[in-house]
Amino acid sequence: MKFLSNGRFKNADHQAVVNSNSSRLSIATFQNPAPDATVYPLKVREGEKAILEEPITFAEMYKRKMGRDLELARLKKLAKEERDHKEVDKPVDQIFA
């Protein structure tokens, strides 16, 4: 979404949360073009900088997006581990204060 809208729309950070109190219905939709299809963003508005300098294949766009998503997930995991580690190092009276 970010590439194709030239940054006007952000990709949603999706995380499913299980809720035992209610049912959940998921509907998957697939809107991917062929891997070798050429993709490019919306027309650049005045004052905007293009996210993509030139059209690329859908496969390349997907590879870039997944690379960023994986790096973001790795950084979130490291931050959580660091927070959890700090909690473990706190004295008991500070944890329950």
Side-chain angles (χ1 to χ4, degrees), residues 1-4 6 11 35 37-41 49-73:
M1 182 67 81
K2 182 179 177 182
F3 279 119
L4 298 179
N6 200 49
N11 296 328
T38 302
V39 295
Y40 48 90
K49 184 175 188 253
I51 287 181
L52 296 174
E53 296 299 324
E54 58 189 42
I56 60 175
T57 64
F58 177 76
E60 178 60 28
M61 183 186 76
Y62 189 77
K63 186 171 112 180
R64 290 181 192 183
K65 180 198 176 313
M66 292 307 294
R68 275 198 313 276
D69 288 354
L70 291 171
E71 179 63 11
L72 181 59

Side-chain angles (χ1 to χ4, degrees), residues 78-97:
L78 287 174
K80 182 182 182 314
E81 288 172 354
E82 187 174 309
R83 279 192 315 271
D84 292 349
H85 181 68
K86 286 181 181 178
E87 283 293 320
V88 170
D89 291 343
K90 283 184 179 180
V92 173
D93 60 328
Q94 287 183 4
I95 293 173
F96 294 110

Side-chain angles (χ1 to χ4, degrees), residues 5-61:
S5 70
N6 200 49
R8 291 180 203 145
F9 302 104
K10 306 298 180 207
N11 296 328
D13 187 14
H14 178 76
Q15 180 179 359
V17 178
V18 177
N19 181 345
S20 60
N21 296 326
S22 62
S23 61
R24 177 174 176 218
L25 173 65
S26 295
I27 301 172
T29 61
F30 301 95
Q31 300 149 350
N32 299 338
D36 60 344
T38 302
V39 295
Y40 48 90
L42 295 172
K43 182 179 177 185
V44 178
R45 293 177 182 164
E46 186 177 329
E48 275 186 335
K49 184 175 188 253
I51 287 181
L52 296 174
E53 296 299 324
E54 58 189 42
I56 60 175
T57 64
F58 177 76
E60 178 60 28
M61 183 186 76

